[in-house]
Amino acid sequence: VAQPPPERMITTAILPSLVTALAAPQPAPIPLTFEPRRAYPSRALYAPVQDDSEGYDFSYTFAELGLTSTDIDGLAEDADTYYLAASLGLGIFQIVASYENTDLDIGDSSSDTLRLGAGAHFSLTPRVDLQGDISWLYSDASSNFANLNDSSNGYEVRGGLRWMALPWNGGGLELAGNILYRDLETAFASEEDQFGWEAQARVHLLKLLSVGGSYIQRADDEQYLFNARVSF
């Protein structure tokens, strides 16, 4: 019997298997997964300055302890004041209150002053607030000078801007400026009613703690103020 050529035998043996393999259902391709790239941790930990487009949420609920020294025009001695102040933020409004104790060596004079008022604040830009308040003042003064040994009522108005000039993670450098007007008969000052202005710098060390200093000028009197504040 004659044998078929080798090429025909190979074709006859392989072709049925190839047809069967092509006709069989193919398994679904294995999906490729990619793990997201992790941010380099030190970039978040050590970047000190926020992006300029980010805002800052100023707190209007705080407690503050401070002291001031006032150089009164025409007097050789300065008036030293210790005070405790608080503010309660209620939306765009705030309630303000303070207690001050002032001592003046001349005439063995001292006074206790209470302040209670209300204010409001508005955001002008992500890092600038316009704020102001008006307060009722009550002062009880004692002195060897008859015209100071008395109690009186008055008021104070202030308003200005708060600017977070240099924010960083958990804090920042805040600058502020205010226009002031006070009318209080028994205040230790060169005049009963005084217009003035204030320049302030505050360093926010942590989210809750900050320290600040101010220069205040009312009429011809100069005042230096230092405080520590806990914000909530």
Side-chain angles (χ1 to χ4, degrees):
V1 179
Q3 298 293 329
E7 295 83 358
R8 184 175 179 183
M9 293 177 63
I10 294 173
T11 302
T12 305
I14 294 177
L15 186 59
S17 300
L18 181 61
V19 172
T20 302
L22 292 176
Q26 300 297 317
I30 300 175
L32 298 177
T33 59
F34 296 92
E35 184 176 346
R37 186 176 64 180
R38 296 180 180 178
Y40 189 64
S42 63
R43 188 172 185 180
L45 291 176
Y46 299 105
V49 180
Q50 293 181 355
D51 188 273
D52 287 342
S53 62
E54 294 184 19
Y56 187 87
D57 185 17
F58 290 103
S59 174
Y60 289 88
T61 299
F62 57 81
E64 181 177 298
L65 178 65
L67 58 90
T68 73
S69 179
T70 305
D71 181 7
I72 302 174
D73 185 48
L75 295 182
E77 300 291 335
D78 294 345
D80 297 320
T81 300
Y82 301 89
Y83 73 89
L84 177 64
S87 175
L88 176 63
L90 301 171
I92 64 169
F93 302 102
Q94 66 263 19
I95 298 173
V96 295
S98 68
Y99 165 76
E100 300 178 2
N101 176 261
T102 304
D103 291 318
L104 183 63
D105 290 339
I106 298 176
D108 194 21
S109 304
S110 66
S111 71
D112 295 314
T113 303
L114 298 176
R115 172 176 175 244
L116 180 63
H121 55 274
F122 307 92
S123 178
L124 298 181
T125 74
R127 296 198 315 202
V128 177
D129 272 15
L130 172 66
Q131 57 87 31
D133 58 70
I134 181 170
S135 300
W136 165 77
L137 304 176
Y138 172 77
S139 176
D140 183 15
S142 62
S143 174
N144 294 334
F145 299 109
N147 60 334
L148 288 180
N149 192 18
D150 199 2
S151 61
S152 66
N153 295 283
Y155 67 95
E156 183 178 54
V157 180
R158 65 174 57 217
L161 298 175
R162 298 180 68 180
W163 172 39
M164 181 52 66
L166 184 62
W168 57 72
N169 292 333
L173 172 64
E174 174 190 345
L175 301 178
N178 291 297
I179 301 298
L180 314 171
Y181 177 74
R182 182 181 66 185
D183 189 335
L184 183 62
E185 183 179 352
T186 55
F188 294 155
S190 57
E191 298 178 17
E192 176 182 335
D193 57 330
Q194 295 183 316
F195 281 100
W197 57 273
E198 174 186 21
Q200 181 186 101
R202 177 170 300 280
V203 178
H204 296 263
L205 303 172
L206 302 170
K207 191 66 177 175
L208 301 180
L209 178 64
S210 64
V211 293
S214 298
Y215 172 78
I216 301 171
Q217 184 166 10
R218 290 187 175 96
D220 295 323
D221 301 341
E222 295 181 319
Q223 186 176 45
Y224 300 89
L225 181 151
F226 304 95
N227 62 52
R229 176 185 294 180
V230 178
S231 302
F232 303 97

Coordinates of all heavy atoms in Angstrom, one line a residue, residues 131 159-162 175-179 198-200:
Q131 N -13.7 93.8 60.5 CA -14.4 93.5 61.8 C -14.4 94.8 62.6 O -13.7 95.8 62.4 CB -13.6 92.5 62.6 CG -12.2 92.7 62.9 CD -11.9 93.5 64.1 OE1 -12.7 93.4 65.1 NE2 -10.9 94.3 64.2
G159 N -12.9 99.5 64.8 CA -13.1 98.8 63.6 C -11.8 98.8 62.8 O -11.0 99.7 62.8
G160 N -11.7 97.7 62.0 CA -10.5 97.6 61.1 C -10.4 96.3 60.4 O -11.4 95.6 60.2
L161 N -9.2 95.9 60.1 CA -8.9 94.7 59.3 C -8.0 93.7 60.0 O -7.1 94.1 60.8 CB -8.2 95.1 57.9 CG -9.0 96.0 57.0 CD1 -8.1 96.4 55.8 CD2 -10.3 95.4 56.5
R162 N -8.3 92.4 59.8 CA -7.4 91.4 60.2 C -6.9 90.7 58.9 O -7.7 90.3 58.1 CB -8.1 90.3 61.1 CG -8.7 90.9 62.4 CD -9.4 89.8 63.2 NE -8.4 88.8 63.7 CZ -8.8 87.7 64.4 NH1 -10.1 87.5 64.7 NH2 -7.9 86.8 64.8
L175 N -1.5 90.2 60.9 CA -1.3 91.7 61.1 C -2.7 92.3 61.1 O -3.6 91.8 60.4 CB -0.5 92.3 60.0 CG 0.9 91.7 59.8 CD1 1.6 92.4 58.6 CD2 1.8 91.9 61.1
A176 N -2.9 93.3 61.9 CA -4.2 94.0 62.1 C -4.1 95.5 62.3 O -3.0 95.9 62.8 CB -5.0 93.3 63.2
G177 N -5.1 96.2 61.9 CA -5.1 97.6 62.1 C -6.5 98.1 62.5 O -7.5 97.5 61.9
N178 N -6.7 99.0 63.4 CA -8.0 99.4 63.9 C -8.0 101.0 64.0 O -7.0 101.6 64.3 CB -8.4 98.8 65.2 CG -8.6 97.3 65.1 OD1 -9.5 96.9 64.4 ND2 -7.8 96.5 65.8
I179 N -9.2 101.5 63.8 CA -9.5 102.9 64.1 C -10.3 102.9 65.4 O -11.2 102.1 65.6 CB -10.3 103.6 63.0 CG1 -9.5 103.6 61.7 CG2 -10.6 105.0 63.4 CD1 -8.2 104.3 61.7
E198 N -4.7 101.8 66.0 CA -3.9 100.6 66.6 C -3.3 99.8 65.5 O -3.9 99.6 64.4 CB -4.8 99.7 67.4 CG -4.2 98.4 67.9 CD -5.2 97.5 68.6 OE1 -6.4 97.6 68.3 OE2 -4.7 96.6 69.3
A199 N -2.0 99.5 65.7 CA -1.3 98.5 64.8 C -0.9 97.3 65.6 O -0.3 97.4 66.7 CB -0.1 99.2 64.2
Q200 N -1.3 96.1 65.1 CA -1.1 94.9 65.9 C -0.5 93.8 65.1 O -0.7 93.7 63.8 CB -2.5 94.4 66.3 CG -2.5 93.2 67.2 CD -3.9 92.7 67.5 OE1 -4.4 91.7 66.8 NE2 -4.6 93.3 68.4

